[in-house]
Amino acid sequence: MLGSQRRQLALQLAAALAVLSLAWPYYGLRNEQLPWPETALGIGAVALLFASLTQQAWWWRLIHALFVPLAWAASTFNIDPGWYLLLFIVLLLVYRGAVTGQVPLYLSNAATAAAIAELTKDLPEMRFLDLGAGVGSVLGPLARQRPDAHLSGVENAPATWACGRLRVAGLANCDWRWGDIWQTTLGAYDVVYAFLSPTPMAALWEKAQREMRPGTLFISNSFPVPDVLAERVIEVDDARQTRLFCYRL
Ligand SMILES: C[S@@+](CC[C@H](N)C(=O)[O-])C[C@H]1O[C@@H](n2cnc3c(N)ncnc32)[C@H](O)[C@@H]1O
């Protein structure tokens, strides 16, 4: 089966091919120039049709409908292609996780960090790991509040990692690492925290079950492990109504 991103790419390409394979000969035979605005709108409409027929999520359908028309509109601004390349590189440095594992960057807020501090307050010298630690929104506050604890964070988006590195610099109980979630061994930790996306949760839970010690705690912010009942769900009193799903190994 195709991965989700490749499936979406295939849909766009199929729509572009379908429209261009009709439009090029049609206008070519009439010795007329291809009308790009109409062609771009046509590709968007066909892509929307394909996405609807294959029952893609509503936001994918929106992206399919708008992608080529917006690309055409952007091309009319005559912006130097170097700027697009620069923007692409900056986005990749921050959002690498979204491209490689469908895990974008969004941050835990202070109320969530406080809820985690409360939840773990009875674990002396706790060893805590944030998988995909972002810019240290959980690790920083926890490290300040819990000088007895050992806090570790692993992050693999370069710009995000660098921001977090600066944020936790000087916190002696914080170990800020460059690395991949899937290459990180979980056996040494009392608490493992993840705020990722629905996509990796089943595989991550399998990894946690393989590697974490019995009695230790796995916390997922917002995204429950599919088909596994959480031992406890903490409702954080914040604007986005964060829920922390807690699983005991
Ligand atoms: C939703 S953010 C959460 C950030 C932080 N844990 C927090 O709660 O504020 C998810 C983070 O995981 C990182 N990430 C995604 N896939 C990763 C991977 N395979 N290895 C390491 N980090 C990853 C992303 O770059 C992003 O910073």
Side-chain angles (χ1 to χ4, degrees), residues 97 103-108 130 132-134 137 155-157 179-181 193 195:
V103 179
L105 172 69
Y106 26 72
L107 306 177
S108 295
D130 186 350
S137 310
E155 173 58 51
N156 78 347
D180 186 90
I181 289 170
Y193 172 70
F195 184 18

Side-chain angles (χ1 to χ4, degrees), residues 9-242:
L9 190 62
L11 269 178
Q12 268 295 320
L13 287 176
L17 272 179
V19 172
L20 290 175
S21 62
L22 292 176
W24 254 319
Y26 177 79
Y27 288 101
L29 288 175
R30 293 163 61 113
N31 216 12
E32 289 175 18
Q33 280 228 322
L34 195 72
W36 275 110
E38 290 81 355
T39 307
L41 286 173
I43 294 173
V46 173
L48 174 63
L49 177 72
F50 287 174
S52 304
L53 289 176
T54 54
Q55 299 184 332
Q56 306 304 317
W58 68 267
W59 46 273
W60 269 125
R61 281 183 256 162
L62 189 69
I63 292 172
H64 280 298
L66 296 179
F67 182 71
V68 172
L70 285 180
W72 170 80
S75 75
T76 63
F77 295 135
N78 289 325
I79 298 170
D80 188 309
W83 288 107
Y84 290 108
L85 181 63
L86 185 67
L87 183 64
F88 174 75
I89 291 171
V90 170
L91 287 175
L92 200 60
L93 291 176
V94 178
Y95 290 106
R96 175 184 174 179
V99 181
T100 54
Q102 293 187 42
V103 179
L105 172 69
Y106 26 72
L107 306 177
S108 295
N109 53 29
T112 302
I116 295 171
E118 175 64 24
L119 175 68
T120 56
K121 68 176 191 296
D122 294 330
L123 295 173
E125 301 195 359
M126 123 177 116
R127 302 187 72 86
F128 179 100
L129 172 68
D130 186 350
L131 282 173
V135 296
S137 310
V138 169
L139 240 51
L142 261 186
R144 280 190 194 84
Q145 243 177 294
R146 290 287 306 273
D148 66 307
H150 307 278
L151 292 310
S152 302
V154 57
E155 173 58 51
N156 78 347
T160 313
W161 174 87
C163 289
R165 166 83 275 167
L166 290 176
R167 185 170 185 175
V168 303
L171 295 171
N173 56 345
C174 231
D175 171 25
W176 188 256
R177 277 186 243 149
W178 168 263
D180 186 90
I181 289 170
W182 305 105
Q183 306 301 325
T184 304
T185 313
L186 311 181
Y189 301 97
D190 304 306
V191 181
V192 172
Y193 172 70
F195 184 18
L196 300 172
S197 83
T199 310
M201 290 316 297
L204 192 56
W205 176 240
E206 271 183 33
K207 179 174 166 62
Q209 282 182 300
R210 265 198 320 273
E211 298 176 12
M212 289 179 72
R213 285 171 285 115
T216 54
L217 190 61
F218 176 73
I219 307 172
S220 175
N221 184 334
S222 303
F223 307 110
V225 177
D227 305 323
V228 180
L229 197 63
E231 181 194 68
R232 192 171 165 195
V233 180
I234 294 172
E235 315 252 348
V236 178
D237 188 16
D238 61 357
R240 59 181 295 272
Q241 299 188 306
T242 299

